[in-house]
Amino acid sequence: MSFEDDVLQDFLTEAKEGLEKLDEEFVELERDPQNTEILKSIFRTMHTLKGTAGFFGFKTLEGIAHFAEDILSKLRDGLVVADEEIIDILLRAVDHIKAIVAHLEEHKQEPVDETYLDFLVELSNFAEKIAKRAKGEVGGTKPADKRPLESKASKEEPVEEKDTEEKPKEEKAEDEEPAGEKALEDKKSEEVRSSSSTPSITEKKKEEAPKTSKVAPQVTLTETHIRVDVKLLDHLMNLAGELVLARNRLVQIAGEINDTELMRATQSLSLVTTEMQETIMKTRMQPIGTVFNKFPRIVRDLARSTGKKVNLHIEGADTELDRSIIEAIKDPLTHLVRNSIDHGIESPDERVQIGKPAVGTLVLRAYHEGGQVIIEIEDDGRGIDVEKVKKKAIEKGLITPEEAERMSDREAIALIFRPGFSTAEKVTNISGRGVGMDVVKTNIERLGGSIEINSVKGSGTTVRVKIPLTLAIVPALIVLSGGERYAIPQVNLKELVNIESDEEIHRIGNSEFYRLRGEIIPLIRLSRILGSPNGDYERSLVILSTGVMDFGLLVDEVRDSEEIVVKPLGRLLKGIPIYAGATIMGDGKVALILDVVGLSRYVGFKAEEMERAFGEEDQRAISGEEKQFILLFNVHPSEQFAIPLSLISRLDKIEASKLEYVGGKEVVQYKGKSVPVIRLENYLPIQPLPEQEEYNLLFFEDRKKKVAILVSQIVDSLETDLELDEDIYHTEGILGNRIINGRTTIFVDIYKIIEMYDPDWFSRPEILEKKRILYAEDSAFYRQLVKNYLQSAGYEVEVAEDGLEAWEKLQQKQFDLLITDIEMPKMDGFELAKKVRSDERLANMPIMALTSLSGEDVYRKAKETGIDEFQVKLDREAVIRTAAELLAEKTAEATA
Amino acid sequence: MAELPVLSSEKRPALGEKTETFVTFWLGSFLFGLPIAEVIEINRDLETTPVPLSPDYIKGIVNLRGQVLTALDLAERIGLSAEGERSYNLIVRNEEDERVSLLVEKIGDILEVPVSSLEEPPEKIEGLDRKFVKYVCQLPERLLVVLNTREILQRSG
């Protein structure tokens, strides 16, 4: 059924309901002609009928309804009292309408027949008369009598003629059946031709005329559609589900008994049950057109308000979906369409300039594919500018420039779905309603669907939403906790992990984490949330995704994956966020369905908190001491070196023959670009790299530039604290040394080395007057590293080994910015910050904390003590940027 | 059913008098009643699945022919300490026509009592919270406590 057919069907259903009601009400009215309530109701029904008929362009129908409404309005306003004559003609109007509706149902168009036109004329004359009567011009019923007679006579003649010709008796007996009526109509043309004959009959006819004319086309409207309460359908669904369960049990029993007769009976029951279930499922299906048909208006309004021209094409509006999904999909779709018009489609001028038609095209398309419904929103606008997206993401701190460099276009486009992202240069009143694409994504994922974007810069964007046909049945994983079963929707499931030993679970404070292929994932123990006892034996880890973040759920046991029927929870249980509903298991018992998003909220994970936790883990792990993953390597086998692993973007091997000397510099080819190679022995007093067939390369990235360090061998990577000994080497490029695995290991200051290789490597901002930074840090490693990179960024840096020393230096000298570690002996960063803030002279000093510590309370405390910004020590880029921002703010304030 | 405390014949009111019919049940030593119109059906031993994090008086959820209903421990809900095992599910409907199961110990008789014998509850009823009581009705041998379903099915704290 096409979308138009569908709308027509709706109209017909409504019209029939209305007509049914009219019949009853007219009868009522005849009994009680003064009943204004009924009159009003009749008037309304007729009015609606007129409106919708006009909408569809059914002229005759509209006309009849129009004049009937006219008459009714006089009655309603009490200008004329409904007498038998009036009611009679109104009823005939209803009958004519019925006949037209019946015809419409069959032929999808109005009948082309003079009967209706004639009646229309009669009705309009009558309406005129009533209008006059209402004005008091005509008192009696005289004209009323005449006119129908006249018009009827001329009309009825041919009818009667035919009657007499064919089966006079029956026809005269005023056949009320539709068949007879149709026969009349069919023959009308013939009659007209032969009408001049048989005058005697005409006379007879004249007598009968008034009577026959009153016999409006009598039609019994057959009901093809009825309205059913949705509750009833839901209940039917439930019962069908139960029936399936009962059937399953029966099949099982029949299998055990192994009786042929019983088997056969069970089989047929089984078939019928399945079919019944499917059919009932279908009753809940609605065409997506019910949502799509809202869009022409939305698109029009949007296009107008943005000054754009947009042509909307709707395809596949008859694609059917479960009604619950249809409801839920409306808002996300609206948002996507808004986005397309607001961000995608260019203004007409712009379009013409680049050779596109001025009118943009937006296609809204739905179709079935593999048991799912695909909805596509396609525009021929400017497409998504990947670089712009990356830039924005970096600005918003969602990714680092290094990450951006490594990202594929697809990954970059996916950034749009991150919380806190919005590509609109300015927040417009269209897309910028505080709802981001992240919300759209979350909502679609809640429905068990997914969303992806394909975009070609300059030529358009296609957003593709996949959603299941029905919400009622979802695949789910069944897990066990505290002896009860819980269902987890499969959409949220990423993978399953078996925990071998407690060692694999890391604890930081009260939180637990799991390291999954290097990624740190927070853990939740289901038993702890549910308050069930045997939580410490949880060994099965279910990795879940909320769409924004991943977390692990520890459960007692993982069972099978099943298709479950989702049932709502009662009102008394609605407030508990961790459940999405309940389902009935094969054995008839109920199991709760976990809401993964609700679960993560309940535990209180927030995306940014998680990012902090990640950062924390990356640079120091597990115990309270500052620890760091480092990479151990050799240049010459006799000496061991170390670099923090997180500074290295990539490790690779290279054959000696691939090293090239170009323009006096050693380079390697990497991803189609020449990357300079640095040999550490050129900058540090160390043993040179021996000739090898194959070398190892450590890649570093800074903004978009890459450099590779050539080394002999990667020894190991391990986690260690960074207590360095600074006594032995006082050489630029060496941070210090420390004994690792029984060998003295030199920690290389990679930033310094790169700067030595190329002093202009780190694009140094033009700093007019040197800003002075005081950096308080107890770890020698960081003290050196951070100091060096701040210096190379053009600042004057003085260091202090603890908070107290820093405080003393602040008293003596002038600084523009204080950067401090949090955890330090003697006086920690918080105390230092507090002291600074309470000192009048220093109150305006910007303070940045460099941390490896994290957590909500630390963050909050930092803010309370007056620390302006927080950064992670090893994130050179971010630290320098933040320092510049803080200093700029300070200058701005000072000049203000 | 020898254990039934009140024979309905005793209670039959005089002809023509306006009456109301109650489904009665036992919790501890109290005989409670609910208007028959509010009770949909009575079931035995529906298996209850606990719902962690729910209020204490909610014992869990049950499967009633494919519908998942919330099961309330009625005694706990109305602040009554009753020891007996609650094995009957009294299925009632709330204002929104949602079905809820009330767990009770024992089902009593269906009683028809004259409306005139229904009284406002006294200021204090020993052992239970007065707000859950709609009326009391003095029967020859004991007091029938008519409960206020609306209040019971109201969400609280």
Side-chain angles (χ1 to χ4, degrees):
Chain A
M1 197 187 278
S2 81
F3 178 60
E4 287 76 15
D5 286 352
D6 227 44
V7 180
L8 177 62
Q9 201 57 62
D10 281 351
F11 160 67
L12 292 175
T13 310
E14 195 188 85
K16 279 189 275 182
E17 276 180 11
L19 289 168
E20 205 106 307
K21 214 171 84 188
L22 281 180
D23 272 346
E24 290 166 26
E25 286 173 336
F26 272 119
V27 173
E28 183 79 6
L29 186 67
E30 212 160 15
R31 228 179 293 141
D32 182 7
Q34 311 281 13
N35 191 330
T36 45
E37 278 314 302
I38 288 184
L39 270 170
K40 276 183 197 161
S41 168
I42 294 174
F43 178 80
R44 274 196 303 273
T45 312
M46 198 56 87
H47 182 76
T48 314
L49 211 52
K50 181 185 95 173
T52 29
F55 171 75
F56 281 98
F58 300 143
K59 287 280 181 299
T60 320
L61 183 52
E62 187 191 4
I64 295 177
H66 171 77
F67 292 117
E69 185 196 337
D70 228 33
I71 299 169
L72 281 163
S73 72
K74 304 287 183 304
L75 297 180
R76 182 197 55 183
D77 298 340
L79 301 172
V80 176
V81 175
D83 57 19
E84 203 182 322
E85 190 195 0
I86 293 175
I87 292 190
D88 196 50
I89 195 153
L90 285 174
L91 273 174
R92 280 171 55 213
V94 171
D95 287 344
H96 277 89
I97 292 172
K98 269 189 197 167
I100 296 174
V101 167
H103 195 275
L104 279 173
E105 198 157 33
E106 222 171 301
H107 306 286
K108 303 208 166 76
Q109 53 186 2
E110 281 192 309
V112 188
D113 198 311
E114 284 170 34
T115 328
Y116 300 99
L117 296 176
D118 292 343
F119 177 71
L120 195 55
V121 174
E122 182 188 344
L123 188 64
S124 102
N125 292 338
F126 190 83
E128 213 172 288
K129 187 185 77 186
I130 294 293
K132 278 182 195 154
R133 197 194 292 177
K135 282 185 199 152
E137 284 173 30
V138 185
T141 49
K142 224 172 145 198
D145 282 343
K146 240 188 224 161
R147 223 179 254 134
L149 251 173
E150 282 167 8
S151 57
K152 262 165 233 161
S154 56
K155 256 182 284 173
E156 303 298 332
E157 264 172 56
V159 179
E160 287 303 322
E161 222 164 279
K162 170 194 64 188
D163 290 352
T164 42
E165 273 169 52
E166 289 193 14
K167 20 177 181 167
K169 267 175 195 161
E170 269 177 51
E171 299 286 6
K172 262 175 250 158
E174 296 188 27
D175 190 356
E176 291 192 357
E177 283 163 35
E181 140 89 32
K182 235 177 233 166
L184 288 185
E185 289 166 17
D186 290 345
K187 267 145 217 166
K188 206 164 183 188
S189 49
E190 287 173 38
E191 293 149 19
V192 175
R193 262 177 266 132
S194 56
S195 60
S196 55
S197 60
T198 54
S200 64
I201 291 167
T202 329
E203 235 170 85
K204 203 171 152 202
K205 262 174 268 149
K206 261 187 185 159
E207 276 175 9
E208 279 180 5
K211 226 178 165 191
T212 1
S213 71
K214 283 191 183 162
V215 182
Q218 284 282 332
V219 188
T220 338
L221 299 177
T222 38
E223 300 284 345
T224 57
H225 283 65
I226 55 163
R227 293 189 182 202
V228 181
D229 189 347
V230 169
K231 264 193 198 162
L232 196 63
L233 294 181
D234 288 346
H235 190 55
L236 264 179
M237 267 279 285
N238 276 334
L239 292 176
E242 276 299 287
L243 190 61
V244 170
L245 290 181
R247 185 266 319 261
N248 292 350
R249 257 170 267 167
L250 191 63
V251 168
Q252 203 183 340
I253 293 165
E256 281 160 19
I257 294 173
N258 204 13
D259 175 286
T260 351
E261 277 295 290
L262 180 61
M263 287 289 254
R264 205 172 299 150
T266 324
Q267 246 165 30
S268 68
L269 173 72
S270 189
L271 281 175
V272 173
T273 310
T274 310
E275 204 181 324
M276 192 181 99
Q277 196 191 16
E278 283 168 4
T279 314
I280 290 173
M281 290 282 286
K282 272 190 206 148
T283 62
R284 293 166 50 97
M285 302 298 250
Q286 276 187 328
I288 198 161
T290 53
V291 176
F292 277 8
N293 64 16
K294 311 243 183 329
F295 283 105
R297 177 64 196 273
I298 293 174
V299 168
R300 181 199 154 274
D301 288 356
L302 277 179
R304 276 187 75 113
S305 66
T306 49
K308 293 173 181 176
K309 289 188 176 154
V310 185
N311 230 333
L312 175 69
H313 288 290
I314 290 178
E315 294 174 21
D318 51 350
T319 310
E320 293 198 320
L321 269 175
D322 192 281
R323 47 171 284 272
S324 48
I325 293 196
I326 295 222
E327 280 297 302
I329 196 79
K330 214 170 104 190
D331 285 349
L333 279 188
T334 310
H335 192 86
L336 291 172
V337 166
R338 283 174 188 283
N339 263 345
S340 281
I341 295 174
D342 198 23
H343 305 312
I345 291 174
E346 310 91 334
S347 64
D349 293 348
E350 202 177 324
R351 288 180 67 89
V352 171
Q353 265 178 22
I354 52 176
K356 288 183 183 179
V359 179
T361 305
L362 184 69
V363 182
L364 213 50
R365 184 186 295 126
Y367 55 94
H368 286 277
E369 190 183 272
Q372 285 189 311
V373 170
I374 318 283
I375 302 172
E376 287 176 353
I377 298 111
E378 189 185 315
D379 67 59
D380 65 346
R382 61 171 71 94
I384 296 172
D385 186 338
V386 175
E387 290 309 316
K388 213 165 132 192
V389 169
K390 284 184 181 173
K391 204 178 120 215
K392 208 105 211 172
I394 295 167
E395 273 169 30
K396 305 248 164 166
L398 297 174
I399 53 165
T400 64
E402 291 76 27
E403 280 173 323
E405 175 71 10
R406 283 196 295 271
M407 265 183 184
S408 68
D409 284 3
R410 182 169 276 267
E411 283 172 318
I413 288 176
L415 287 171
I416 293 172
F417 294 120
R418 296 265 195 106
F421 188 95
S422 158
T423 39
E425 303 255 289
K426 55 183 192 272
V427 175
T428 65
N429 67 338
I430 295 160
S431 301
R433 298 197 171 203
V435 199
M437 288 290 273
D438 56 319
V439 178
V440 171
K441 186 167 188 254
T442 315
N443 285 344
I444 287 170
E445 279 170 352
R446 276 236 163 125
L447 295 174
S450 63
I451 180 167
E452 62 178 48
I453 299 183
N454 289 311
S455 183
V456 180
K457 196 183 164 187
S459 62
T461 305
T462 304
V463 181
R464 175 184 291 230
V465 177
K466 280 189 195 177
I467 34 177
L469 282 175
T470 170
L471 272 190
I473 295 183
V474 296
L477 181 77
I478 310 299
V479 300
L480 223 57
S481 183
E484 293 293 337
R485 284 169 295 188
Y486 294 89
I488 301 173
Q490 206 98 42
V491 262
N492 299 113
L493 185 65
K494 286 195 93 176
E495 61 182 287
L496 300 174
V497 179
N498 229 349
I499 303 279
E500 301 286 335
S501 82
D502 276 339
E503 308 280 293
E504 292 177 46
I505 298 173
H506 307 298
R507 283 184 185 77
I508 298 173
N510 288 326
S511 318
E512 291 179 308
F513 297 90
Y514 180 78
R515 193 178 283 275
L516 180 70
R517 291 185 293 277
E519 209 179 325
I520 308 296
I521 289 174
L523 296 186
I524 300 177
R525 284 176 188 272
L526 187 54
S527 60
R528 205 167 285 169
I529 291 173
L530 303 178
S532 50
N534 51 345
D536 289 336
Y537 303 100
E538 291 172 314
R539 280 279 186 269
S540 297
L541 180 59
V542 184
I543 309 288
L544 299 171
S545 171
T546 63
V548 178
M549 60 166 292
D550 296 347
F551 66 93
L553 186 69
L554 273 167
V555 299
D556 293 349
E557 206 184 311
V558 169
R559 290 276 177 88
D560 280 341
S561 167
E562 279 182 32
E563 297 259 301
I564 59 166
V565 179
V566 181
K567 315 257 174 179
L569 287 175
R571 198 165 55 107
L572 289 164
L573 296 172
K574 278 277 153 67
I576 309 174
I578 68 167
Y579 306 122
T583 187
I584 294 165
M585 306 296 295
D587 60 1
K589 261 198 82 177
V590 190
L592 287 157
I593 303 168
L594 296 176
D595 180 334
V596 171
V597 175
L599 205 57
S600 80
R601 291 233 175 91
Y602 181 77
V603 180
F605 291 140
K606 283 192 210 95
E608 71 241 47
E609 221 169 288
M610 275 316 305
E611 271 161 26
R612 252 179 275 136
F614 276 60
E616 170 185 354
E617 270 289 309
D618 279 352
Q619 56 177 284
R620 83 194 194 118
I622 305 158
S623 76
E625 284 301 302
E626 295 193 37
K627 285 196 173 186
Q628 178 72 45
F629 268 95
I630 56 164
L631 183 78
L632 295 178
F633 59 93
N634 298 139
V635 174
H636 186 275
S638 66
E639 288 170 323
Q640 182 165 293
F641 299 91
I643 286 177
L645 193 54
S646 58
L647 294 180
I648 299 168
S649 66
R650 217 182 107 85
L651 296 175
D652 212 343
K653 286 198 160 117
I654 182 175
E655 288 169 33
S657 61
K658 294 278 168 62
L659 287 168
E660 301 169 33
Y661 285 89
V662 181
K665 292 203 171 186
E666 210 169 354
V667 296
V668 291
Q669 286 190 14
Y670 176 66
K671 280 190 182 167
K673 281 184 182 168
S674 293
V675 176
V677 171
I678 295 177
R679 289 175 183 259
L680 288 179
E681 66 264 34
N682 293 345
Y683 305 97
L684 298 175
I686 58 169
Q687 298 283 328
L689 181 67
E691 288 283 323
Q692 284 174 229
E693 278 181 15
E694 197 182 53
Y695 299 99
N696 281 286
L697 285 173
L698 319 181
F699 283 93
F700 293 84
E701 287 184 27
D702 185 79
R703 289 165 204 262
K704 286 189 176 174
K705 294 195 278 189
K706 287 196 186 66
V707 63
I709 306 255
L710 197 66
V711 305
S712 159
Q713 206 189 348
I714 306 291
V715 180
D716 199 358
S717 72
L718 53 82
E719 210 171 10
T720 178
D721 62 61
L722 293 168
E723 285 310 303
L724 298 189
D725 204 335
E726 298 165 90
D727 300 342
I728 304 179
Y729 305 93
H730 293 283
T731 314
E732 290 228 304
I734 292 179
L735 292 167
N737 64 290
R738 182 187 154 81
I739 292 172
I740 292 171
N741 293 348
R743 293 187 62 177
T744 297
T745 305
I746 292 171
F747 279 69
V748 177
D749 182 348
I750 195 65
Y751 291 129
K752 198 79 205 170
I753 300 281
I754 295 173
E755 207 188 344
M756 285 154 81
Y757 166 79
D758 176 3
D760 296 327
W761 181 268
F762 299 108
S763 45
R764 197 178 294 218
E766 284 299 311
I767 293 177
L768 299 173
E769 72 184 290
K770 276 220 166 182
K771 298 285 185 186
R772 288 170 52 80
I773 297 175
L774 177 63
Y775 177 39
E777 167 66 68
D778 59 323
S779 150
F781 171 80
Y782 287 120
R783 204 158 56 227
Q784 284 298 327
L785 186 86
V786 175
K787 179 186 169 187
N788 285 350
Y789 71 60
L790 284 172
Q791 276 175 347
S792 64
Y795 297 109
E796 223 179 290
V797 182
E798 185 145 351
V799 292
E801 290 187 22
D802 56 57
L804 196 61
E805 194 188 325
W807 176 243
E808 282 160 3
K809 289 197 169 178
L810 283 169
Q811 301 296 317
Q812 294 156 11
K813 296 179 193 169
Q814 191 71 37
F815 293 97
D816 299 299
L817 170 69
L818 171 64
I819 301 181
T820 178
D821 183 24
I822 297 291
E823 293 220 317
M824 290 182 293
K826 291 186 195 162
M827 183 191 290
D828 68 13
F830 293 135
E831 214 182 319
L832 177 61
K834 241 187 267 175
K835 265 185 118 72
V836 170
R837 284 285 171 259
S838 58
D839 186 306
E840 246 176 59
R841 289 174 303 124
L842 297 173
N844 290 328
M845 165 88 67
I847 305 174
M848 166 164 43
L850 285 194
T851 177
S852 44
L853 254 190
S854 191
E856 185 65 48
D857 49 339
V858 174
Y859 191 71
R860 201 183 55 240
K861 196 168 169 195
K863 284 284 174 199
E864 277 169 17
T865 52
I867 290 170
D868 298 301
E869 283 295 340
F870 238 114
Q871 283 302 339
V872 170
K873 286 172 193 172
L874 284 182
D875 194 346
R876 173 185 166 280
E877 193 69 51
V879 170
I880 290 177
R881 191 186 61 231
T882 311
E885 281 167 8
L886 286 174
L887 286 167
E889 272 172 37
K890 193 195 170 198
T891 319
E893 270 171 37
T895 51
Chain B
M1 291 180 105
E3 58 181 299
L4 286 185
V6 197
L7 286 178
S8 47
S9 55
E10 284 178 32
K11 306 269 34 76
R12 186 146 296 154
L15 220 65
E17 199 177 352
K18 218 175 165 203
T19 62
E20 196 168 344
T21 310
F22 296 98
V23 174
T24 66
F25 51 92
W26 293 87
L27 279 173
S29 56
F30 282 94
L31 177 68
F32 290 103
L34 284 174
I36 196 159
E38 291 177 7
V39 179
I40 298 165
E41 62 180 273
I42 297 164
N43 273 275
R44 266 204 88 148
D45 295 324
L46 291 178
E47 199 169 350
T48 310
T49 302
V51 178
L53 304 182
S54 61
D56 285 344
Y57 63 84
I58 293 181
K59 279 297 148 236
I61 43 182
V62 296
N63 168 15
L64 181 75
R65 294 189 300 281
Q67 266 190 297
V68 175
L69 311 189
T70 310
L72 266 66
D73 185 332
L74 188 56
E76 201 154 332
R77 177 62 177 145
I78 60 178
L80 190 75
S81 52
E83 301 286 297
E85 198 185 318
R86 268 77 99 178
S87 56
Y88 285 92
N89 292 71
L90 204 62
I91 314 291
V92 298
R93 66 173 98 233
N94 69 9
E95 291 159 78
E96 281 125 54
D97 206 24
E98 176 191 324
R99 290 160 196 218
V100 179
S101 165
L102 302 178
L103 297 174
V104 301
E105 285 173 33
K106 236 176 359 182
I107 300 293
D109 220 337
I110 308 274
L111 286 185
E112 196 179 350
V113 301
V115 170
S116 56
S117 69
L118 297 174
E119 297 161 30
E120 286 288 304
E123 278 307 301
K124 190 167 160 35
I125 306 173
E126 198 61 51
L128 57 109
D129 193 333
R130 185 180 180 272
K131 73 173 175 187
F132 297 115
V133 180
K134 204 171 181 181
Y135 307 113
V136 292
C137 172
Q138 190 60 56
L139 303 175
E141 288 177 22
R142 63 190 75 243
L143 192 72
L144 173 68
V145 181
V146 177
L147 291 172
N148 182 345
T149 328
R150 192 192 155 119
E151 193 62 44
I152 287 167
L153 301 183
Q154 200 71 250
R155 267 185 74 164
S156 67

